[in-house]
Amino acid sequence: MRLSRDKIQEIKDQNHTNTLYSFSRLSKWEQSKYEYFLTYVKYVKPDRNDCCYGSLGGAMHDILERFYSDEIEYEDMLEEFDEAFFTNIEVLDLKFDRNSSEQNDKLANRWHDNVGHFFANHRTIPYQVKCEQPAVIRVNNGALIGYIDAVYDDGDYLNIVDWKTSSMSGFTPDHIHEKSRQLILYALSFIQHGVPLEKIKCKYNMLKYCTITYTQKNGKVKSMNVERRLLNEKLLAPARIYLRQFGYDIDEYSKEVLDNGYDALPDDVKAEIKIVDCWLEVPLDEKVIEDTKKWAESTIKEIEDAIAKYYKTKDESLFEDSIEDVEKESYYFSTLSGFSAELNPYYKRYLESLEKKNDIWS
């Protein structure tokens, strides 16, 4: 539920700030200082509106919100998904890849198969789920606001959930806290309202993936996160273990599994293999919380210092994106950004540097 303007102004007054930041606003600064400048200082409208990821992601969140708000039935989700996909891709002609029609079609098919499978097989959360819950996070130099995808209490933990339609790449143990700052800030909001840290769980539901769990011969339980479109293929290895153990014809059932998936397995084999939604939990401790809070505070200070200097000097180079910075975020600039090289001279400079390199090597 989005807060009213009056409520937002009240939060600003309570926190003695003129600007109520959001996580996406801080992320914009990290991705491109110049795009932050265009968006929040110059109020320039993006000139590229053909990327599908934001629009499709929003539609998927909306479907889940309406399901958990009892506005639609479980069986309606897949139909709603297909309609949203058709509208965004076929009617609006939004793109997964702006540079290659072949790659665009490949990504579209994969995304449709993965996320469509989720809506046909989602394991419903068996607790009262509240969606789009506002969260206010107090920091030393102001406040942030966000809207949590889903929150539920399972009796032991307060679970903060983010529905994620992107890839799992990057969510490694070394980088998960950097990738999960938004969820960690939401956890901080609850801590600031009296919920103990040890009673909070932050986790992603990775819509494009599911988890296969089974027991190996050595007795150890093994879990595999797999793309949903590859589920039948990945299911073969654990299935063959139990097919052999229970005396079934492995070759016969292997073909059936590839064609029809989990439902093709005998009941006693099914009992040994579990397939559930893919949940990715973010480890939390006091240091993680404090480090993330400090990141938000230092980012806000950096933004406000640059803007204050700009108003005195009108020097746009205060928002320069270095070639190294653009290269680091090259996927964002080429695929996700709403600003073309015509509006961002630093992105244009980066593209020109690539052309020069290609000329040298050609």
Side-chain angles (χ1 to χ4, degrees):
M1 178 178 173
R2 297 281 159 170
L3 298 179
S4 67
R5 289 186 179 182
D6 288 345
K7 183 61 179 176
I8 288 175
Q9 186 59 52
E10 180 184 330
I11 294 169
K12 288 181 181 179
D13 294 341
Q14 290 172 346
N15 291 278
H16 311 290
T17 182
N18 293 320
T19 304
L20 198 55
Y21 287 89
S22 64
F23 176 78
S24 61
R25 189 161 175 164
L26 301 189
S27 294
K28 174 74 78 175
W29 178 260
E30 287 212 319
Q31 289 166 333
S32 171
K33 292 178 173 60
Y34 194 74
E35 285 196 9
Y36 186 99
F37 171 71
L38 291 176
T39 303
Y40 297 107
V41 181
K42 298 276 282 188
Y43 302 108
V44 175
K45 290 184 178 180
D47 61 340
R48 294 196 301 186
N49 299 302
D50 58 345
C51 177
C52 70
Y53 285 104
S55 180
L56 274 179
M60 302 307 103
H61 285 68
D62 182 63
I63 292 170
L64 285 161
E65 180 182 357
R66 286 189 291 128
F67 168 66
Y68 279 107
S69 300
D70 296 324
E71 295 178 25
I72 60 175
E73 300 296 327
Y74 185 96
E75 56 271 17
D76 296 329
M77 288 196 293
L78 183 58
E79 182 179 347
E80 295 270 344
F81 162 77
D82 283 330
E83 182 177 341
F85 188 87
F86 180 81
T87 299
N88 280 273
I89 304 306
E90 300 299 333
V91 178
L92 300 178
D93 196 28
L94 301 183
K95 305 297 184 185
F96 285 89
D97 189 294
R98 290 169 167 146
N99 304 308
S100 165
S101 58
E102 181 180 352
Q103 179 69 1
N104 178 71
D105 291 344
K106 182 186 294 184
L107 291 173
N109 290 333
R110 289 180 177 179
W111 200 95
H112 180 274
D113 290 348
N114 282 327
V115 183
H117 186 277
F118 168 85
F119 282 110
N121 297 276
H122 171 50
R123 299 298 179 93
T124 304
I125 298 171
Y127 304 99
Q128 182 181 6
V129 177
K130 296 180 180 179
C131 298
E132 287 298 301
Q133 293 296 293
V136 177
I137 303 99
R138 298 190 304 274
V139 293
N140 289 342
N141 45 357
L144 296 94
I145 189 170
Y147 294 87
I148 307 171
D149 287 352
V151 181
Y152 67 91
D153 190 330
D154 63 12
D156 295 314
Y157 297 97
L158 179 75
N159 294 265
I160 302 170
V161 175
D162 190 272
W163 312 116
K164 206 74 172 172
T165 56
S166 63
S167 168
M168 290 185 72
S169 62
F171 286 88
T172 61
D174 290 339
H175 296 97
I176 190 167
H177 292 122
E178 179 183 343
K179 296 275 284 185
S180 306
R181 284 170 175 156
Q182 185 174 23
L183 277 179
I184 297 167
L185 288 170
Y186 291 158
L188 175 57
S189 173
F190 282 103
I191 291 169
Q192 291 176 340
H193 285 83
V195 180
L197 170 60
E198 61 272 17
K199 289 294 183 179
I200 297 174
K201 281 188 176 181
C202 289
K203 54 189 181 181
Y204 296 101
N205 191 328
M206 308 298 291
L207 272 61
K208 289 168 57 178
Y209 302 84
C210 58
T211 301
I212 303 172
T213 302
Y214 63 97
T215 303
Q216 298 173 294
K217 286 185 176 180
N218 59 12
K220 293 183 178 180
V221 176
K222 180 176 178 63
S223 292
M224 298 188 298
N225 297 324
V226 302
E227 278 192 66
R228 289 176 176 272
R229 67 186 181 89
L230 302 176
L231 175 58
N232 292 2
E233 175 186 331
K234 299 297 184 181
L235 184 59
L236 266 184
R240 289 170 71 93
I241 293 173
Y242 294 106
L243 288 169
R244 179 180 292 107
Q245 180 177 326
F246 296 143
Y248 291 102
D249 186 317
I250 294 178
D251 292 335
E252 176 187 344
Y253 273 100
S254 294
K255 184 179 184 307
E256 287 294 315
V257 170
L258 284 174
D259 291 340
N260 301 304
Y262 184 77
D263 290 340
L265 291 171
D267 289 342
D268 48 357
V269 175
K270 285 182 183 178
E272 302 295 333
I273 302 172
K274 305 299 180 186
I275 301 174
V276 297
D277 283 2
C278 178
W279 290 95
L280 181 62
E281 186 173 342
V282 181
L284 295 178
D285 58 36
E286 290 183 1
K287 184 177 185 304
V288 167
I289 298 290
E290 185 60 26
D291 286 350
T292 305
K293 181 172 180 281
K294 287 180 179 177
W295 166 82
E297 291 170 342
S298 63
T299 304
I300 291 172
K301 184 177 187 306
E302 191 176 338
I303 291 169
E304 294 187 341
D305 286 349
I307 291 175
K309 289 179 183 177
Y310 169 75
Y311 284 140
K312 290 180 180 178
T313 65
K314 299 302 179 183
D315 181 7
E316 293 190 8
S317 69
L318 290 163
F319 305 94
E320 177 182 3
D321 293 326
S322 70
I323 287 180
E324 293 75 21
D325 289 338
V326 176
E327 183 174 25
K328 180 181 177 183
E329 296 287 347
S330 59
Y331 177 77
Y332 167 78
F333 283 102
S334 64
T335 305
L336 303 177
S337 172
F339 293 99
S340 71
E342 297 306 311
L343 289 182
N344 188 337
Y346 302 113
Y347 180 41
K348 186 174 184 178
R349 180 180 66 181
Y350 168 73
L351 294 178
E352 290 171 348
S353 73
L354 292 182
E355 289 180 3
K356 288 181 181 178
K357 286 181 181 179
N358 290 334
D359 289 341
I360 291 172
W361 288 104
S362 62

